[in-house]
Amino acid sequence: MTTQEIKSRYFQGARRKETWSGIPVKTVYTPEDIKDIDYARSMGNPGEYPYKRGIYADMYRGRLWSQRQITGCPTPKMTNERLRYLLSTGESAINIIGDQPTQIGIDSDHPWAEGCVGRVGVCVDTMDDMRQILDGIPLDQVSTMLTLVTPIALPSYMVLAEEQGIAPSELRATSPMVPPVLGAPVCMYGGKEWWFDMAKRQMKEFIDKLEYMTKKYPKIYVANYNAYNIRETGVGAAEEVAWIFANAFEGLKLITERGVDIDVVAPKVSITFSVMIDILEEAAKFRAARAIWARTLKEKFGAKDPRSLRLKYHVNTAGIIMERQQATINVIRAAYAALAAVLGGTQSLQVASYDEPIAIPTEEAATLAVRTQQILANETGVASVADPLAGSYYVESLTQQLEEKMQKIIDTIEEKGGMSAAIHSGYIDREMEAAWFKYQKEVEAKERIVVGVNEFTIPEEQDADVAVYLGKVDFDLVQHHIENLKEFKRTRDQAKVKKALEALLHATENDESDICDYEKECCKAGCTTGEVNGVKRMGIGLPYDPLGILEYPFA
């Protein structure tokens, strides 16, 4: 290092003159920047329409946000141990995520699952897996978020609650139910034409389930729209909110067209957002999102119940900001992102563990993530005041700009015929590709500094030993799980399984409205994730196996 380099660093100024999403930022903001904002009409106090400043008057003085780490260890037993450990450290709710085979609806013994089982979440093949994951956890006492896109997760959860003698009205959870169109545009549909046909057929089932769940399980957030996956594609804050809202509004429109009261369904809809490291932009994003949600639900859908107008959401600190290089400094990134989420008024938060870019979080890393939330809640002072950033010339100006940009995108998508049509036309893909290309170019040109990646780097040999982290996963246990699954399939009551699957197939083919009940019977009979998913595919005219390898075993 030269003397000149040291001197230049001393006089270095802030390099980036725009937000993470690319909104230009001035050197200073003054009253002139917010002179057109009408406080009473466009902001209001916390707890008042349009809820820009928060959905409750006292915000975190009344109740802190739910603190739940997303958890998915290689096997159900390991996941249960981690969940119970996290609860013992002070976590106030739980969040379970499945591995890749589970997420795409195939069993752990599927040929294409080899090498993927238990790598990025827990494998859920049967209701017994869910039973093991939730063993010893009182379902009426612990709010549970099921980030498990498998058709057996929710019905298994409901059956397990029945086994514990818990009334449906006492279950407090967030359902993995997402509309088939846009749960996660990139990683789920892959641009295949059949996917759009499937989504169209499954939209009816989604709406049926919304009605079913809303009536029977009043404390469950029955539909959770996933904006997190959208943001992970590299798009900005405005696109994240606008796209998922366009998706949600499309679903709500279909529901109301069936004659369902918007005030019955809307209060049980929630969103999962990402939160990035640009603290002020992210806080402004959540403030703007609340105003758009409230305004649209009131003016477009005619919602009258304040619970419909209040945007409820969970936030994951972004995976996209976590880097493999110098992985321990991800602790700092996650903490700043968590701060942004809280300043923005989230109701629920998960803080990514620093080693997530390398492997499933170690116990040490997960503990640090929980402690990050606890320090935020109890030591920093940010929980003491509702919407503490209100009145900042910059934050108010940025909130206004984001709100206008979000609304413009939503209007553009509506002009294209809605979110389904926008995806089908390739518009969404093109926007994502352009955003990611721009981000990568900025990183490579050092127009966007990422510490440890393109600046402030260290030699590779001094960095964390990735093999050490990977070695913490016991893949012998994973293989044992797969062998147990094979034995389970061989020894279960085949006639009972076949009967349950065929009933589900018939119900799907005939668009029956109580699919949840058929799925619950499948879980009780010992049907697997792959079998239930496959039969439901057959019911709408698709091949049993999404990967085209396996045949329906009970033909």
Side-chain angles (χ1 to χ4, degrees):
M1 181 185 303
T2 66
T3 304
Q4 187 60 37
E5 286 175 330
I6 296 173
K7 185 178 179 181
S8 68
R9 287 179 184 173
Y10 183 80
F11 290 102
Q12 190 177 69
R15 303 188 200 181
R16 192 164 171 84
K17 297 177 176 58
E18 57 187 44
T19 67
W20 194 100
S21 302
I23 296 175
V25 176
K26 300 193 297 186
T27 302
V28 65
Y29 287 75
T30 70
E32 184 67 17
D33 293 290
I34 61 171
K35 63 182 174 49
D36 294 329
I37 296 177
D38 182 328
Y39 182 86
R41 184 181 62 80
S42 67
M43 293 181 64
N45 292 327
E48 296 176 359
Y49 181 83
Y51 305 103
K52 182 177 287 184
R53 300 196 57 199
I55 62 172
Y56 301 116
D58 56 358
M59 286 303 290
Y60 300 133
R61 285 202 180 197
R63 186 175 78 81
L64 288 170
W65 63 91
S66 300
Q67 298 166 28
R68 59 180 94 215
Q69 292 304 115
I70 198 163
T71 304
C73 297
T75 67
K77 182 173 185 295
M78 294 169 76
T79 301
N80 175 260
E81 291 169 352
R82 177 62 63 83
L83 288 170
R84 295 171 74 152
Y85 169 75
L86 289 173
L87 287 170
S88 75
T89 66
E91 185 177 66
S92 60
I94 62 175
N95 187 352
I96 307 162
I97 188 168
D99 64 5
Q100 192 116 39
T102 301
Q103 300 286 1
I104 64 174
I106 62 175
D107 291 338
S108 298
D109 60 349
H110 190 289
W112 274 45
E114 183 178 355
C116 299
V117 179
R119 277 197 177 267
V120 295
V122 62
C123 42
V124 178
D125 296 300
T126 67
M127 191 174 78
D128 282 345
D129 292 335
M130 287 293 291
R131 180 179 283 109
Q132 202 165 12
I133 290 168
L134 296 169
D135 182 43
I137 297 174
L139 301 184
D140 57 341
Q141 302 297 318
V142 178
S143 172
T144 303
M145 189 167 186
L146 298 169
T147 310
L148 284 165
V149 187
T150 160
I152 70 167
L154 184 59
S156 292
Y157 178 80
M158 292 188 289
V159 173
L160 292 173
E162 291 171 5
E163 290 181 357
Q164 289 187 15
I166 299 170
S169 59
E170 297 304 311
L171 278 179
R172 191 181 299 278
T174 301
S175 156
M177 274 174 49
V178 293
V181 176
L182 222 198
V186 166
C187 59
M188 291 296 183
Y189 82 85
K192 302 294 186 184
E193 192 64 28
W194 61 260
W195 195 94
F196 294 101
D197 293 335
M198 180 182 73
K200 190 174 180 181
R201 287 289 305 271
Q202 289 186 336
M203 182 59 87
K204 180 186 178 299
E205 177 188 324
F206 170 70
I207 296 172
D208 287 340
K209 283 184 173 177
L210 273 182
E211 281 195 80
Y212 174 96
M213 294 291 297
T214 302
K215 291 172 183 172
K216 289 197 172 183
Y217 297 87
K219 292 183 180 177
I220 289 184
Y221 285 95
V222 295
N224 182 256
Y225 288 80
N226 191 340
Y228 175 86
N229 286 346
I230 291 174
R231 194 65 185 276
E232 289 289 288
T233 67
V235 299
E239 286 79 9
E240 176 193 358
V241 173
W243 291 2
I244 207 63
F245 277 9
N247 190 199
F249 296 156
E250 184 173 310
L252 291 175
K253 179 173 180 287
L254 291 170
I255 292 168
T256 52
E257 285 176 351
R258 285 176 51 162
V260 179
D261 185 347
I262 188 68
D263 284 324
V264 171
V265 175
K268 307 315 297 178
V269 172
S270 64
I271 310 280
T272 291
F273 285 114
S274 173
V275 63
M276 304 286 281
I277 199 169
D278 187 327
I279 297 172
L280 300 178
E281 179 178 59
E282 293 301 312
K285 174 186 78 176
F286 295 123
R287 301 173 86 241
R290 280 193 293 269
I292 291 179
W293 180 268
R295 188 171 61 239
T296 305
L297 267 290
K298 181 179 182 181
E299 297 177 3
K300 182 174 181 178
F301 292 99
K304 296 179 176 61
D305 189 334
R307 295 175 304 158
S308 302
L309 308 181
R310 296 176 187 141
L311 175 65
K312 319 287 196 328
Y313 59 91
H314 166 79
V315 171
N316 294 329
T317 61
I320 193 176
I321 63 173
M322 310 297 268
E323 302 291 347
R324 182 189 66 79
Q325 296 91 337
Q326 302 181 50
T328 52
I329 64 174
N330 287 327
V331 170
I332 303 161
R333 293 189 174 101
Y336 285 144
L339 173 62
V342 171
L343 289 173
T346 188
Q347 287 81 61
S348 175
L349 176 63
Q350 97 92 28
V351 174
S353 300
Y354 72 82
D355 52 1
E356 282 192 18
I358 301 173
I360 287 176
T362 59
E363 190 170 282
E364 176 220 14
T367 304
L368 270 176
V370 173
R371 297 291 182 247
T372 299
Q373 295 215 44
Q374 292 164 340
I375 289 171
L376 198 53
N378 298 292
E379 297 186 25
T380 64
V382 294
S384 301
V385 179
D387 192 25
L389 297 180
S392 156
Y393 301 134
Y394 174 48
V395 172
E396 296 299 356
S397 174
L398 189 55
T399 301
Q400 188 69 17
Q401 288 183 72
L402 280 165
E403 188 177 336
E404 291 170 1
K405 190 173 181 183
M406 290 170 190
Q407 189 60 59
K408 187 176 180 181
I409 297 170
I410 292 170
D411 293 343
T412 298
I413 291 172
E414 285 204 348
E415 289 169 4
K416 293 180 179 297
M419 197 60 186
S420 300
I423 295 171
H424 203 181
S425 70
Y427 167 76
I428 298 298
D429 276 353
R430 290 192 295 275
E431 292 292 308
M432 285 190 294
E433 288 166 5
W436 192 250
F437 185 59
K438 178 175 182 289
Y439 174 86
Q440 189 60 34
K441 280 204 307 182
E442 289 177 351
V443 171
E444 292 177 5
K446 293 192 177 182
E447 294 169 1
R448 184 190 292 268
I449 298 301
V450 182
V451 175
V453 175
N454 61 0
E455 194 71 287
F456 313 112
T457 58
I458 61 174
E460 184 77 18
E461 61 271 18
Q462 293 180 18
D463 214 336
D465 185 351
V466 174
V468 170
Y469 286 86
L470 293 178
K472 292 178 184 296
V473 177
D474 189 339
F475 288 106
D476 288 339
L477 288 177
V478 172
Q479 188 56 41
H480 184 64
H481 170 85
I482 296 172
E483 295 304 321
N484 282 345
L485 173 63
K486 291 177 179 176
E487 179 66 11
F488 172 80
K489 285 183 175 179
R490 192 182 65 78
T491 57
R492 64 187 168 172
D493 186 334
Q494 306 295 334
K496 196 174 176 182
V497 171
K498 181 179 180 182
K499 182 180 177 183
L501 287 174
E502 292 187 349
L504 176 62
L505 176 61
H506 182 268
T508 307
E509 288 173 333
N510 291 283
D511 282 339
E512 294 188 23
S513 59
D514 48 357
I515 292 293
C516 271
D517 288 334
Y518 291 99
E519 290 174 343
K520 286 167 67 175
E521 291 306 311
C522 283
C523 293
K524 293 176 185 175
C527 305
T528 66
T529 285
E531 290 164 349
V532 173
N533 185 51
V535 160
K536 292 182 70 177
R537 286 171 53 83
M538 291 166 62
I540 57 175
L542 293 172
Y544 171 77
D545 183 5
L547 299 168
I549 295 175
L550 304 181
E551 299 291 335
Y552 177 50
F554 298 99

